Amino acid sequence: MAKPAKLAPLTSTDRGSVGDAPDITVDADMPSPQNNLDMKLYRVYFDVQEQASPKLDRRTRKRQATRQAISDAATRLFMEHGFDQVTIDEIAEAADVGRMTVFNHFPRKEDMFFDREDEVRGMVSAAIHGRDAGTSPVTALRLLAYRCIEDRNPLLPLFGAPLRFVATALASEALKARARQMCSEFTRVLAAMMAESVDRPADDPDAHLVAGLLVATWSIAFSEGYKVADTPGDAAAAGRVFLRLIDRGFQAAAGGATGTPYVEAG
């Protein structure tokens, strides 16, 4: 069974570019995402990533298949009944595995819902570490935001069927609490990624300041975009709202980090 896009998620046949919308404000001091050659980095990441996976031994393939079966079963049950109403025993039965097998793959029930966090981190790392020499980390992440909207990336659940995953998360206090925890964890990870990319220590306060501002911006931009996307027929408007707030927040972050390598390319 094909893996449905999930909460880091998304599917859509609408491929129209949102970045060209006339009411998106773009800072003149920052390169245009649609014309910047840095975009090739993200095309390579999204188009080749799956093909680049090394061959796995039989035991690893079997383990991954079991994990996928558990995740698929959990996803179906969460969508049908709501996250809080589904038990681990029900998931194990639906996946035809034992209860302990479920916990071996997913230590927490919430992990079966937010099971694409590693993909998100990989995408962000590729944007930061794979940027061109003349591009700062903040600009690279802004370009990534534009690319996610343009490509209707499954890791940004603003369009189509994945909106159901967002609605399911918002209906569960447990999932909302886990999402806040993940946000805090990712802020630390992002700070370390950016610091490493400019040869600064992982505890660099400038990196943590910038990371906090960027994660807060992304969170607010997504929340506001979702409010629009949840209305049928407003996918393009959701993208414009998201990018407009991304621009404003990233400009504010750049202003707060003036004089650092996080906003000034070396």
Side-chain angles (χ1 to χ4, degrees), residues 152-179:
R152 300 294 192 262
N153 189 284
L155 298 179
L156 181 65
L158 272 181
F159 313 97
L163 290 171
R164 292 180 58 201
F165 289 94
V166 182
T168 300
L170 293 176
S172 167
E173 292 301 322
L175 288 177
K176 287 190 288 185
R178 177 56 182 151

Side-chain angles (χ1 to χ4, degrees), residues 97-265:
V97 298
R99 177 184 176 87
M100 288 309 302
T101 299
V102 174
F103 283 116
N104 286 339
H105 288 275
F106 299 98
R108 290 180 294 193
K109 181 181 168 185
E110 291 83 357
D111 294 338
M112 285 179 270
F113 193 88
F114 296 112
D115 67 345
R116 301 190 70 178
E117 186 176 5
D118 286 345
E119 294 178 62
V120 173
R121 294 185 181 189
M123 179 179 69
V124 171
S125 179
I128 294 173
H129 295 291
R131 70 189 191 280
D132 282 347
T135 302
S136 71
V138 169
T139 296
L141 292 174
R142 178 174 172 271
L143 293 173
L144 176 60
Y146 271 79
R147 188 62 185 172
C148 285
I149 292 296
E150 182 180 346
D151 282 356
R152 300 294 192 262
N153 189 284
L155 298 179
L156 181 65
L158 272 181
F159 313 97
L163 290 171
R164 292 180 58 201
F165 289 94
V166 182
T168 300
L170 293 176
S172 167
E173 292 301 322
L175 288 177
K176 287 190 288 185
R178 177 56 182 151
R180 289 191 293 270
Q181 183 181 28
M182 290 170 60
C183 188
S184 178
E185 292 170 354
F186 182 72
T187 300
R188 293 191 293 272
V189 170
L190 178 60
M193 286 181 185
M194 291 195 299
E196 180 184 26
S197 75
V198 298
D199 296 320
R200 285 197 172 187
D203 61 353
D204 179 23
D206 287 331
H208 286 268
L209 171 63
V210 174
L213 292 171
L214 297 185
V215 171
T217 293
W218 193 285
S219 178
I220 293 170
F222 175 79
S223 178
E224 294 302 312
Y226 172 74
K227 292 177 184 178
V228 178
D230 200 32
T231 302
D234 276 344
R240 290 193 294 271
V241 167
F242 175 80
L243 292 178
R244 188 180 301 116
L245 290 170
I246 286 291
D247 282 342
R248 292 176 182 173
F250 275 50
Q251 289 167 23
T258 299
T260 73
Y262 303 113
V263 297
E264 298 178 5

Side-chain angles (χ1 to χ4, degrees), residues 15 29 40 60 83 94 96 145 163 190 194 212 228 243:
R15 302 281 295 180
D29 294 330
K40 69 180 182 293
T60 300
F83 179 83
D96 195 23
L163 290 171
L190 178 60
M194 291 195 299
V228 178
L243 292 178

Side-chain angles (χ1 to χ4, degrees), residues 40-53:
K40 69 180 182 293
L41 296 174
Y42 310 122
R43 286 194 173 90
V44 169
Y45 180 83
F46 293 127
D47 296 342
V48 180
Q49 188 75 5
E50 291 187 0
Q51 303 174 23
S53 300

